[in-house]
Amino acid sequence: MNAGFIGIGKCVPPQVVTNADLEKRMDTTDEWIRTRTGIEQRHIADENTDSSDLAYQAAVNAIEDAGIQPEDIGLILVATVTPDLPFPSVSAMIQDRLGAKHAAAMDVSAACAGFMYGVVTAKQFVESGAYRYVLVVGVEKLSKIMDWEDRGTAVLFGDGAGAAVIGKVSEGRGILSFELGADGSGGKHLFQDRYIQMNGREVFKFAVRQMGESAESVIEKAGLTKEDVDYLIPHQANMRIMEASRERLGLPPEKMSKTIHKYGNTSAASIPISLVDDVADGKVKDDDVIVLVGFGGGLTWGGLCIKWGR
Ligand code: COA
């Protein structure tokens, strides 16, 4: 029995902050941000909106897309490094708001790779028969842990949420393979004290190497070759990192997801948000072989190879 994606949804806050807006706030330029990162704008939540609000709305959309009821969900996993509070978890908060009264709830902390960790965990519970449906949400309100005086990080990130209902899908479809990994020795390159602290060059080098390796690994584990891959959805951290993964797989530009220009780096939310936009735009279709790869603070990483469709 194969677990797969049976519903997806997203939520981004309405306020858009453009590179031109940032030029007025700090010593940076639209040109620098675009050419170094590919980012043109990001969505930023207001003070009355926290991670649980974004997660809730993305979850509502995913549940509706799946055509199930909140009561059908056995487990809620929320991947986030920006919970409203250390506890209760965001997953417990939305469990109540959704009316998912039969669901267990816990948060997953694996930074930008968190959604990958959540989906792989969900797959185990679905395929073991323990839960019929698991709701996985990647959500961040990174704006609350960003130092708006630090141009090295403030230009990179955005707020948002993406969600998926994981359940049993039809024969031949679903999650074909996965990879998860961590290297805690690199934790010093990307962490939060009060604000996000980052050694951009070290993270860049790690990301280029790891995204390529994870993509190749999940393709091989699925018993496939690069030629079988229809579409790549890399974590949207930096266009140059994404391009390196795409070139390593030998895919043309139109076969890689690119949403970073609209949302910036939304950490755990970036991959599910991209998935929602790409399915809506017809870039991901039933029976396509898609590869999802993410990396983040920890350092952590994860990949999935999926035959798309319910
Ligand atoms: N606007 C203008 N100039 C900026 C700037 C900004 N927002 N941020 C940094 N600079 C300057 C630097 O101060 C530096 O100036 P200097 O040469 O006078 O010292 C110059 O630009 C180049 O900095 P550098 O760090 O070499 O740039 P880079 O090409 O490595 O790009 C990142 C910086 C952060 C975009 C890039 O390293 C990166 O994306 N790393 C990975 C980050 C990431 O993915 N994090 C999330 C992980 S989930």
Side-chain angles (χ1 to χ4, degrees):
M1 189 244 271
N2 255 5
F5 289 64
I6 63 162
I8 51 176
K10 71 162 187 184
C11 173
V12 290
Q15 187 196 182
V16 169
V17 175
T18 64
N19 292 348
D21 294 330
L22 292 181
E23 281 180 352
K24 292 177 206 136
R25 271 180 92 153
M26 62 190 76
D27 181 17
T28 190
T29 60
D30 173 53
E31 219 268 320
W32 191 97
I33 302 170
R34 272 175 204 259
T35 54
R36 297 292 177 119
T37 72
I39 299 166
E40 294 171 17
Q41 60 172 50
R42 68 287 293 143
H43 291 248
I44 299 293
D46 65 25
E47 59 187 1
N48 299 317
T49 305
D50 213 334
S51 290
S52 64
D53 302 301
L54 301 172
Y56 168 75
Q57 194 52 55
V60 165
N61 296 342
I63 291 166
E64 191 185 306
D65 186 46
I68 64 165
Q69 297 303 315
E71 296 83 4
D72 301 331
I73 297 166
L75 174 65
I76 300 173
L77 299 169
V78 174
T80 187
V81 293
T82 50
D84 301 31
L85 298 167
F87 68 91
S89 60
V90 175
S91 45
M93 289 178 180
I94 67 167
Q95 185 256 1
D96 177 52
R97 245 169 112 177
L98 291 167
K101 53 182 183 234
H102 303 303
M106 69 171 172
D107 285 3
V108 177
S109 178
C112 304
F115 185 76
M116 300 284 94
Y117 271 74
V119 170
V120 172
T121 306
K123 168 182 155 68
Q124 313 308 321
F125 280 113
V126 168
E127 292 182 358
S128 71
Y131 298 121
R132 188 159 175 216
Y133 300 114
V134 179
L135 171 69
V136 184
V137 185
V139 61
E140 304 294 358
K141 187 183 178 185
L142 290 165
S143 58
K144 68 183 174 184
I145 60 162
M146 273 151 58
D147 178 357
W148 290 96
E149 306 294 311
D150 175 17
R151 67 177 184 173
T153 54
V155 303
L156 302 176
F157 300 101
D159 300 335
V165 176
I166 305 299
K168 180 182 180 311
V169 292
S170 50
E171 187 71 34
R173 289 178 174 171
I175 299 164
L176 305 177
S177 62
F178 72 86
E179 168 165 292
L180 297 177
D183 175 8
S185 72
K188 57 185 177 288
H189 298 313
L190 182 56
F191 61 95
Q192 183 201 350
D193 45 27
R194 170 70 183 87
Y195 297 117
I196 297 172
Q197 308 291 342
M198 185 177 74
N199 180 341
R201 284 183 200 176
E202 282 303 320
V203 175
F204 193 98
K205 280 191 282 180
F206 155 73
V208 167
R209 188 184 68 245
Q210 196 54 55
M211 296 254 276
E213 283 179 11
S214 295
E216 288 182 350
S217 164
V218 292
I219 293 166
E220 193 189 324
K221 284 180 186 172
L224 301 174
T225 64
K226 291 177 191 177
E227 289 70 40
D228 298 314
V229 177
D230 294 301
Y231 201 70
L232 171 69
I233 305 185
H235 170 46
Q236 308 280 307
N238 182 312
M239 192 60 191
R240 292 181 292 150
I241 298 172
M242 293 153 52
E243 283 292 337
S245 321
R246 181 181 67 73
E247 281 164 16
R248 189 154 162 180
L249 294 189
L251 291 172
E254 64 275 13
K255 290 199 168 189
M256 181 182 75
S257 180
K258 180 178 169 287
T259 61
I260 189 170
H261 59 295
K262 294 188 278 186
Y263 308 117
N265 178 351
T266 57
S267 186
S270 96
I271 291 174
I273 287 176
S274 295
L275 192 52
V276 169
D277 283 8
D278 293 335
V279 170
D281 294 345
K283 292 177 183 166
V284 171
K285 302 174 293 301
D286 279 358
D287 294 317
D288 279 353
V289 171
I290 65 171
V291 170
L292 278 45
V293 277
F295 69 92
L299 300 167
T300 55
W301 61 88
L304 292 167
C305 183
I306 302 167
K307 195 164 180 85
W308 190 253
R310 296 177 194 184

